[in-house]
Amino acid sequence: MDAIIQLDGSITEGAIQSATVDAIEWTDSRGKSHQLKSSIILDLDLGSIKSLLKTGNQFLAVFDYQNAVGAFSGSARGDGLGATIASLRIAETLLTWSSIDAGKAKEAEAAFTAWLAANPDSWFSPRAQTGKAMAAALSGDTDRAAKMFEDLAAFAFEKNFPIHVELSARLGRCQAFLMGKQANVAEARLRDLVPKIADGMTASNTSGVLRTRLRLLHSQGQILLGDAIEAKDGVAKARSYW
């Protein structure tokens, strides 16, 4: 059983048939088809494919990246949403692997690029675009990574994704600048972005579930801002910030 979590906090259960940037299509327990606009969707819980990804996730949990990639590759050979997500998990595993093997970052970017080419209209596109941009940042290509995050923010706005997707992309751009030793740029952008996230948290029309998501982004932004201040001005200045 899958679950569709909406921006207002309501949860719809059923079997998701397709998930695009425009709409989520699903069937209920009687086999009747339904559709919800993607603009009102906060998250998808794909319970129906958890068993398909179980082995790969188990390998990933113990940092056995090679076998995780192998397991996900096996699951990606099928059809349907499960195979699509398994293919995405291959790219995400390579990205995680790059934390201990820098050479894997380019492989991860290539895998994300291939996935996006095969799934241009997927609801999971922002997730893949985020991974691709982070892989570029880890490869040391800061400016290109920043441009990818900027493009993702514009994509999220254009496709009317919930606001946390755009804000997350802008936060990722700041992280890319910080990783690329452009702390002054990161700090300037974070001083503007962190208050905007806070404003979203406190807005009267922000639901509890969205507020929780924004609170996490706000915390990440505060930490990145502290790191940027330390990298730019030293520990003493950062200590006064904290």
mmCIF file of all heavy atoms in Angstrom, residues 154-174:
data_model
loop_
_atom_site.group_PDB
_atom_site.id
_atom_site.type_symbol
_atom_site.label_atom_id
_atom_site.label_comp_id
_atom_site.label_asym_id
_atom_site.label_seq_id
_atom_site.Cartn_x
_atom_site.Cartn_y
_atom_site.Cartn_z
ATOM 1 N N ALA A 154 14.275 27.260 -10.172
ATOM 2 C CA ALA A 154 13.398 27.801 -11.213
ATOM 3 C C ALA A 154 12.412 26.740 -11.699
ATOM 4 O O ALA A 154 11.230 27.037 -11.943
ATOM 5 C CB ALA A 154 14.244 28.317 -12.381
ATOM 6 N N PHE A 155 12.872 25.509 -11.837
ATOM 7 C CA PHE A 155 12.028 24.386 -12.256
ATOM 8 C C PHE A 155 10.902 24.160 -11.239
ATOM 9 O O PHE A 155 9.737 23.992 -11.612
ATOM 10 C CB PHE A 155 12.894 23.124 -12.380
ATOM 11 C CG PHE A 155 12.138 21.855 -12.658
ATOM 12 C CD1 PHE A 155 11.783 21.516 -13.953
ATOM 13 C CD2 PHE A 155 11.800 20.992 -11.622
ATOM 14 C CE1 PHE A 155 11.097 20.330 -14.205
ATOM 15 C CE2 PHE A 155 11.115 19.812 -11.866
ATOM 16 C CZ PHE A 155 10.761 19.481 -13.166
ATOM 17 N N ALA A 156 11.252 24.181 -9.956
ATOM 18 C CA ALA A 156 10.255 23.967 -8.907
ATOM 19 C C ALA A 156 9.198 25.064 -8.919
ATOM 20 O O ALA A 156 8.002 24.797 -8.740
ATOM 21 C CB ALA A 156 10.942 23.915 -7.545
ATOM 22 N N PHE A 157 9.630 26.301 -9.153
ATOM 23 C CA PHE A 157 8.694 27.428 -9.222
ATOM 24 C C PHE A 157 7.795 27.305 -10.454
ATOM 25 O O PHE A 157 6.575 27.478 -10.370
ATOM 26 C CB PHE A 157 9.469 28.741 -9.254
ATOM 27 C CG PHE A 157 8.588 29.958 -9.347
ATOM 28 C CD1 PHE A 157 7.965 30.465 -8.218
ATOM 29 C CD2 PHE A 157 8.376 30.588 -10.572
ATOM 30 C CE1 PHE A 157 7.140 31.590 -8.297
ATOM 31 C CE2 PHE A 157 7.558 31.710 -10.661
ATOM 32 C CZ PHE A 157 6.938 32.204 -9.518
ATOM 33 N N GLU A 158 8.404 26.983 -11.584
ATOM 34 C CA GLU A 158 7.662 26.874 -12.846
ATOM 35 C C GLU A 158 6.611 25.770 -12.784
ATOM 36 O O GLU A 158 5.483 25.931 -13.273
ATOM 37 C CB GLU A 158 8.635 26.608 -14.001
ATOM 38 C CG GLU A 158 7.965 26.392 -15.344
ATOM 39 C CD GLU A 158 8.933 25.888 -16.412
ATOM 40 O OE1 GLU A 158 10.160 25.937 -16.171
ATOM 41 O OE2 GLU A 158 8.456 25.457 -17.467
ATOM 42 N N LYS A 159 6.974 24.640 -12.185
ATOM 43 C CA LYS A 159 6.068 23.493 -12.117
ATOM 44 C C LYS A 159 5.127 23.551 -10.913
ATOM 45 O O LYS A 159 4.351 22.629 -10.689
ATOM 46 C CB LYS A 159 6.878 22.193 -12.075
ATOM 47 C CG LYS A 159 7.743 21.957 -13.304
ATOM 48 C CD LYS A 159 6.911 21.855 -14.570
ATOM 49 C CE LYS A 159 7.769 21.554 -15.791
ATOM 50 N NZ LYS A 159 6.963 21.473 -17.041
ATOM 51 N N ASN A 160 5.219 24.629 -10.153
ATOM 52 C CA ASN A 160 4.331 24.852 -9.016
ATOM 53 C C ASN A 160 4.474 23.777 -7.935
ATOM 54 O O ASN A 160 3.498 23.391 -7.291
ATOM 55 C CB ASN A 160 2.872 24.918 -9.484
ATOM 56 C CG ASN A 160 1.982 25.649 -8.501
ATOM 57 O OD1 ASN A 160 2.434 26.522 -7.760
ATOM 58 N ND2 ASN A 160 0.709 25.289 -8.471
ATOM 59 N N PHE A 161 5.707 23.324 -7.734
ATOM 60 C CA PHE A 161 5.966 22.406 -6.627
ATOM 61 C C PHE A 161 5.799 23.162 -5.307
ATOM 62 O O PHE A 161 5.945 24.392 -5.267
ATOM 63 C CB PHE A 161 7.384 21.847 -6.718
ATOM 64 C CG PHE A 161 7.502 20.586 -7.533
ATOM 65 C CD1 PHE A 161 7.723 20.639 -8.907
ATOM 66 C CD2 PHE A 161 7.385 19.343 -6.929
ATOM 67 C CE1 PHE A 161 7.826 19.479 -9.653
ATOM 68 C CE2 PHE A 161 7.494 18.178 -7.666
ATOM 69 C CZ PHE A 161 7.712 18.245 -9.026
ATOM 70 N N PRO A 162 5.504 22.469 -4.218
ATOM 71 C CA PRO A 162 5.427 23.135 -2.911
ATOM 72 C C PRO A 162 6.710 23.904 -2.612
ATOM 73 O O PRO A 162 7.802 23.525 -3.055
ATOM 74 C CB PRO A 162 5.218 21.966 -1.940
ATOM 75 C CG PRO A 162 4.519 20.929 -2.762
ATOM 76 C CD PRO A 162 5.129 21.041 -4.129
ATOM 77 N N ILE A 163 6.597 24.962 -1.842
ATOM 78 C CA ILE A 163 7.675 25.929 -1.641
ATOM 79 C C ILE A 163 8.941 25.306 -1.062
ATOM 80 O O ILE A 163 10.048 25.786 -1.338
ATOM 81 C CB ILE A 163 7.191 27.084 -0.726
ATOM 82 C CG1 ILE A 163 8.239 28.200 -0.678
ATOM 83 C CG2 ILE A 163 6.848 26.570 0.660
ATOM 84 C CD1 ILE A 163 8.539 28.846 -2.009
ATOM 85 N N HIS A 164 8.819 24.225 -0.292
ATOM 86 C CA HIS A 164 10.013 23.656 0.321
ATOM 87 C C HIS A 164 10.979 23.105 -0.729
ATOM 88 O O HIS A 164 12.187 23.025 -0.475
ATOM 89 C CB HIS A 164 9.648 22.560 1.331
ATOM 90 C CG HIS A 164 9.155 21.293 0.702
ATOM 91 N ND1 HIS A 164 7.876 21.157 0.199
ATOM 92 C CD2 HIS A 164 9.761 20.094 0.504
ATOM 93 C CE1 HIS A 164 7.720 19.936 -0.286
ATOM 94 N NE2 HIS A 164 8.849 19.276 -0.124
ATOM 95 N N VAL A 165 10.475 22.740 -1.912
ATOM 96 C CA VAL A 165 11.356 22.216 -2.963
ATOM 97 C C VAL A 165 12.270 23.331 -3.479
ATOM 98 O O VAL A 165 13.487 23.147 -3.623
ATOM 99 C CB VAL A 165 10.530 21.610 -4.116
ATOM 100 C CG1 VAL A 165 11.460 21.077 -5.210
ATOM 101 C CG2 VAL A 165 9.626 20.495 -3.600
ATOM 102 N N GLU A 166 11.681 24.490 -3.756
ATOM 103 C CA GLU A 166 12.483 25.628 -4.211
ATOM 104 C C GLU A 166 13.467 26.079 -3.135
ATOM 105 O O GLU A 166 14.651 26.341 -3.428
ATOM 106 C CB GLU A 166 11.566 26.799 -4.581
ATOM 107 C CG GLU A 166 12.325 28.026 -5.060
ATOM 108 C CD GLU A 166 11.424 29.214 -5.323
ATOM 109 O OE1 GLU A 166 10.193 29.025 -5.397
ATOM 110 O OE2 GLU A 166 11.954 30.337 -5.448
ATOM 111 N N LEU A 167 13.013 26.165 -1.891
ATOM 112 C CA LEU A 167 13.889 26.608 -0.807
ATOM 113 C C LEU A 167 15.033 25.629 -0.578
ATOM 114 O O LEU A 167 16.166 26.022 -0.299
ATOM 115 C CB LEU A 167 13.079 26.800 0.471
ATOM 116 C CG LEU A 167 12.069 27.953 0.450
ATOM 117 C CD1 LEU A 167 11.218 27.939 1.712
ATOM 118 C CD2 LEU A 167 12.777 29.300 0.297
ATOM 119 N N SER A 168 14.743 24.342 -0.706
ATOM 120 C CA SER A 168 15.780 23.322 -0.552
ATOM 121 C C SER A 168 16.840 23.464 -1.637
ATOM 122 O O SER A 168 18.045 23.319 -1.381
ATOM 123 C CB SER A 168 15.153 21.927 -0.606
ATOM 124 O OG SER A 168 16.133 20.927 -0.473
ATOM 125 N N ALA A 169 16.404 23.777 -2.856
ATOM 126 C CA ALA A 169 17.356 23.975 -3.956
ATOM 127 C C ALA A 169 18.239 25.193 -3.689
ATOM 128 O O ALA A 169 19.449 25.160 -3.939
ATOM 129 C CB ALA A 169 16.601 24.154 -5.267
ATOM 130 N N ARG A 170 17.654 26.253 -3.169
ATOM 131 C CA ARG A 170 18.434 27.462 -2.873
ATOM 132 C C ARG A 170 19.420 27.202 -1.726
ATOM 133 O O ARG A 170 20.534 27.733 -1.723
ATOM 134 C CB ARG A 170 17.499 28.626 -2.555
ATOM 135 C CG ARG A 170 16.611 28.996 -3.724
ATOM 136 C CD ARG A 170 15.994 30.366 -3.591
ATOM 137 N NE ARG A 170 15.136 30.657 -4.740
ATOM 138 C CZ ARG A 170 15.576 31.005 -5.946
ATOM 139 N NH1 ARG A 170 16.873 31.112 -6.174
ATOM 140 N NH2 ARG A 170 14.734 31.260 -6.927
ATOM 141 N N LEU A 171 19.000 26.361 -0.792
ATOM 142 C CA LEU A 171 19.901 25.980 0.294
ATOM 143 C C LEU A 171 21.051 25.130 -0.245
ATOM 144 O O LEU A 171 22.210 25.292 0.161
ATOM 145 C CB LEU A 171 19.117 25.215 1.360
ATOM 146 C CG LEU A 171 19.737 25.100 2.751
ATOM 147 C CD1 LEU A 171 19.933 26.482 3.371
ATOM 148 C CD2 LEU A 171 18.837 24.256 3.654
ATOM 149 N N GLY A 172 20.742 24.237 -1.173
ATOM 150 C CA GLY A 172 21.777 23.422 -1.797
ATOM 151 C C GLY A 172 22.793 24.263 -2.546
ATOM 152 O O GLY A 172 23.995 23.962 -2.541
ATOM 153 N N ARG A 173 22.320 25.335 -3.170
ATOM 154 C CA ARG A 173 23.228 26.231 -3.874
ATOM 155 C C ARG A 173 24.215 26.874 -2.898
ATOM 156 O O ARG A 173 25.413 26.979 -3.184
ATOM 157 C CB ARG A 173 22.416 27.308 -4.594
ATOM 158 C CG ARG A 173 23.237 28.189 -5.511
ATOM 159 C CD ARG A 173 22.369 29.268 -6.109
ATOM 160 N NE ARG A 173 23.111 30.053 -7.094
ATOM 161 C CZ ARG A 173 22.790 31.282 -7.443
ATOM 162 N NH1 ARG A 173 21.748 31.880 -6.888
ATOM 163 N NH2 ARG A 173 23.496 31.925 -8.345
ATOM 164 N N CYS A 174 23.716 27.267 -1.745
ATOM 165 C CA CYS A 174 24.592 27.855 -0.725
ATOM 166 C C CYS A 174 25.623 26.830 -0.243
ATOM 167 O O CYS A 174 26.799 27.162 -0.039
ATOM 168 C CB CYS A 174 23.766 28.350 0.458
ATOM 169 S SG CYS A 174 22.657 29.729 0.063
#
